[in-house]
Amino acid sequence: MVKKILIALIIFSLVVAAFPIASNDLAERNNKKVQLTVDMDEVRRLAVAEGTSVKELLQEFQGMGVSAVAIREANLSRYRLEGKVSFMTGYDLLASYYIHGSLQKDLLGLIERQSIDPYKVYLFSTDRELVQKLENIIQIKLDPPMERFSGEEFDILEMSLATVGKDINDMASLRAGVMPEDLEVARELGLAVVPRPDNKYIQTPEGVEFVLEELLSLPGANIFIFEGEEATGFPNHLSLAAQKIQEHGLPMGVIEYVPRQEGQIAVALESKVPTVLTHSTVLSQDPQAIFNGVRQRRVRLVYLRFSHPITDELFEPERARSLIKGVTEELDRYGYESGVAEPIPSSERGRKFFALILVGVAAAIALLAERLLSLKDRSTAIVFAFSYLVLLVPLATISRDSALQYLAILTGITFPSLAVISQQLRNIPKEIKRPVLLAAKTITLTTLISIAGGTLVLALLSNPFFVGGLSLYRGVKILHTAPLIFIGIWALAAVVYRQERWTLKAVVTSIRKLWKEPVVSGGLVGLLLLLGAAYLYLGRTGHDMGLPVPQLEVQLRLLLDEVLLVRPRFKEFLVGYPLTWTGLYLLYRGHRSALTAGLLTAGAIAQVSLVNTFSHFSSPFVTSLIRTINGFLLGSLIGLLIILALVIAEKIYLHSGLAASLQEKKEQ
């Protein structure tokens, strides 16, 4: 009776989970505008390479589907390149004078008065207003000792950069305000603007205010993305940055996959501005792969980059055009349109809501304990009550979002363990006549339980902090390994070392027996193969994959996405499900060996990967469900083919006379 109640409680939690999941999916489905954004600095370089104007090239890109341009402050190198200012060290000024014997009159006057210091930096321009502007910016960002001279033609700034630990190279990279001509081009073409505030050289509150006010108030700005590895204001002025961001109310672009910028999460949480998940084409230049971010991961801003991320080598103009065209065609093909992006809305949910979800998690823990320990109803009910109280502790005592991540990991460990142990490793029947049909039923039930767990994980992570892509899912490697270790131990106990009831004494006796077994070369080879497989498995898991993805696999992924709409995970259809089918077939044929236990343990990878699929909280539920179904069907097809091959091989073996010959030798 208690087991039925626990199952009903899981169903209740699934019903509760359906509301935020359906709401988030519906909001994603109704938001079809994708903002194709190009980088102004790269467009300018492309225009120079092609011998055209920035406006003409941007206008062409706009006609191809581009709807926004990313703009950052110009650095002083650009000011110098465009002939607006010059700057050099005092040493270079003196060297130029002594070599050429001549110098501009205002600079010559400084030399004649012996006012040039070889160790200082001098900036000069005929545009006195520009010098005044740059003086203010340099003062705010670098704050070096400065003196300004006004000559007949030039205004000159003398700076002692060494006193603040900077040099002329820092001066060259210093960002000093947005170029008016950049804004004018965007305004004339009606392009949205994506400001890129940075944090370089910003040491003071005044610097934070200046940069954010300068960029977030740009005409046409609709989404901003922090530049570099730090949020503006990091580390000491994040609250001020959050206040300025909140005042302007612009959504924050969050670039998927890459590590979050230092301070970005803190600023986003404090400012409470909505986020827009962004895909930078630095990660991939394939239009289909880029579009998969839109269709499968709620990306609504595609940042088209036209230079190599490491070498900064600029693309050929035709390659840039091909990239824009390819992405636009993919958008049109699936009913999306290029335009000005808006954040996908997602409602905040309180702790009481998540407490209802945890009812189902506690019920799963109790069912797992009942399966493992053969508990009676009363003991199972006590485990449920105790588990539920323990689950509520982090939800009530630490930050909600941190608690939800920990609880999602626990849920992701519990359900695949429950699915495999309760369906595959409990009440194992003796050899039966129709092992394939029973295996099909068992695998289907196992998968349904894992889907239930994945659904609860997704519901726990249904808040804007997760759905908006601000957080990366933590504990991926734990989620992928803990259930397998747990299931592996139980598979050995249930399949190889069969006992009606495991006690502590029985466990110790089995371990001692195993320890005394002689080590053979085959066992060592098997152990090495197991360690190698574990390295590959863990190396290809998580956000910081230790192993590269082969190009052949990349192409196969794209092909599967094209054919199946959403590609299944390789771990599921090539490894997990085929091994599960094979292991269950052998088990139901009466093969109770370490090989069978190993196959079922490795096959559990499918269930672990399935739950992890739903842990990708920026993916719509329907996308994860389609991915899961595709993996189940394709993996089952491969598993059935393996079983067919085993059946054929067995028949050939029996009819070849080899079996009879071996039996005769054995009897002799």
Side-chain angles (χ1 to χ4, degrees), residues 594-609:
L595 173 63
T596 303
L599 288 172
L600 292 175
T601 300
I605 288 173
Q607 307 308 314
V608 172
S609 175

Side-chain angles (χ1 to χ4, degrees), residues 560-579:
L560 289 172
D561 268 319
E562 179 76 16
V563 175
L564 300 176
L565 190 63
V566 182
R567 70 171 179 84
R569 300 204 177 280
F570 283 78
K571 290 190 288 284
E572 295 175 31
F573 81 88
L574 282 181
V575 179
Y577 285 114
L579 293 183

Side-chain angles (χ1 to χ4, degrees), residues 332-346:
D332 293 341
R333 180 181 176 189
Y334 290 96
Y336 292 83
E337 60 178 303
S338 175
V340 177
E342 295 180 358
I344 299 174
S346 177

Side-chain angles (χ1 to χ4, degrees), residues 433-492:
K433 294 182 179 180
R434 295 181 176 179
V436 175
L437 290 178
L438 183 57
K441 176 184 175 183
T442 301
I443 291 176
T444 301
L445 291 174
T446 302
T447 302
L448 288 174
I449 293 172
S450 295
I451 290 174
T455 302
L456 295 185
V457 168
L458 187 59
L460 286 170
L461 303 174
S462 60
N463 267 5
F465 177 69
F466 302 105
V467 177
L470 194 60
S471 172
L472 290 173
Y473 188 63
R474 306 299 178 187
V476 176
K477 293 190 186 297
I478 295 175
L479 182 63
H480 276 78
T481 53
L484 295 183
I485 294 172
F486 196 41
I487 291 168
I489 293 172
W490 193 253
L492 286 173

Side-chain angles (χ1 to χ4, degrees), residues 3-313:
K3 287 188 286 186
K4 292 182 179 179
I5 293 174
L6 293 176
I7 293 171
L9 290 176
I10 292 175
I11 294 172
F12 165 75
S13 290
L14 289 171
V15 172
V16 174
F19 288 96
I21 290 174
S23 174
N24 288 338
D25 275 21
L26 185 61
E28 188 275 337
R29 193 173 303 171
N30 291 334
N31 189 319
K32 293 291 187 179
K33 286 190 177 180
V34 180
Q35 186 164 310
L36 300 186
T37 303
V38 293
D39 191 273
M40 178 64 86
D41 290 347
E42 291 179 344
V43 171
R44 185 183 308 104
R45 292 168 61 192
L46 281 172
V48 171
E50 203 168 51
T52 187
S53 70
V54 171
K55 182 178 179 180
E56 289 174 337
L57 191 57
L58 266 179
Q59 195 167 21
E60 180 186 351
F61 288 168
Q62 184 181 31
M64 298 172 68
V66 168
S67 54
V69 58
I71 294 179
R72 56 179 64 81
E73 292 182 272
N75 58 32
L76 286 177
S77 286
R78 179 180 170 189
Y79 281 93
R80 180 167 60 182
L81 184 65
E82 295 183 2
K84 296 178 179 179
V85 299
S86 292
F87 54 89
M88 62 181 67
T89 64
Y91 178 87
D92 289 333
L93 275 174
L94 292 171
S96 178
Y97 171 70
Y98 291 129
I99 291 172
H100 301 291
S102 63
L103 205 61
Q104 196 276 337
K105 183 168 57 175
D106 294 328
L107 296 172
L108 184 60
L110 291 178
I111 292 176
E112 290 174 347
R113 294 196 301 270
Q114 298 184 345
S115 298
I116 298 293
D117 186 330
Y119 300 102
K120 293 184 178 180
V121 174
Y122 294 83
L123 180 146
F124 43 95
S125 173
T126 57
D127 188 336
R128 301 183 190 276
E129 290 185 5
L130 177 59
V131 173
Q132 177 67 56
K133 172 187 173 182
L134 296 178
E135 180 183 13
N136 293 336
I137 295 173
I138 294 168
Q139 191 71 56
I140 288 172
K141 292 190 176 184
L142 297 181
D143 195 21
M146 284 193 299
E147 188 174 355
R148 182 175 174 184
F149 306 98
S150 293
E152 293 182 12
E153 297 181 29
F154 285 111
D155 265 20
I156 304 168
L157 285 180
E158 179 188 72
M159 294 164 283
S160 182
L161 297 180
T163 60
V164 291
K166 308 299 180 185
D167 57 26
I168 194 167
N169 293 320
D170 296 305
M171 171 69 70
S173 62
L174 179 71
R175 297 199 176 278
V178 175
M179 287 285 198
E181 51 265 41
D182 291 349
L183 293 175
E184 182 62 22
V185 170
R187 185 193 65 77
E188 289 180 2
L189 296 178
L191 291 170
V193 171
V194 177
R196 300 295 312 272
D198 73 343
N199 196 47
K200 196 171 184 180
Y201 306 132
I202 299 177
Q203 309 291 333
T204 64
E206 293 78 12
V208 174
E209 288 197 52
F210 169 81
V211 169
L212 292 178
E213 186 64 36
E214 167 94 1
L215 287 163
L216 300 187
S217 60
L218 293 178
N222 76 316
I223 298 168
F224 77 94
I225 302 174
F226 285 122
E227 173 84 6
E229 298 179 357
E230 298 174 350
T232 306
F234 180 83
N236 299 320
H237 306 294
L238 291 175
S239 291
L240 175 61
Q243 178 184 335
K244 296 298 295 183
I245 290 168
Q246 190 176 49
E247 288 175 6
H248 289 277
L250 288 186
M252 177 190 297
V254 179
I255 300 177
E256 64 172 352
Y257 290 132
V258 300
R260 299 296 172 257
Q261 292 147 316
E262 295 284 352
Q264 182 185 26
I265 293 177
V267 169
L269 291 177
E270 188 171 345
S271 65
K272 294 182 172 58
V273 294
T275 56
V276 175
L277 199 58
T278 300
H279 181 92
S280 172
T281 60
V282 165
L283 302 172
S284 172
Q285 294 293 325
D286 185 279
Q288 185 184 336
I290 295 167
F291 174 70
N292 284 343
V294 174
R295 186 179 59 173
Q296 299 178 12
R297 297 188 298 277
R298 289 191 172 94
V299 166
R300 287 301 179 269
L301 191 154
V302 176
Y303 198 160
L304 299 162
R305 303 304 302 266
F306 305 138
S307 62
H308 192 280
I310 298 176
T311 65
D312 198 38
E313 181 181 356

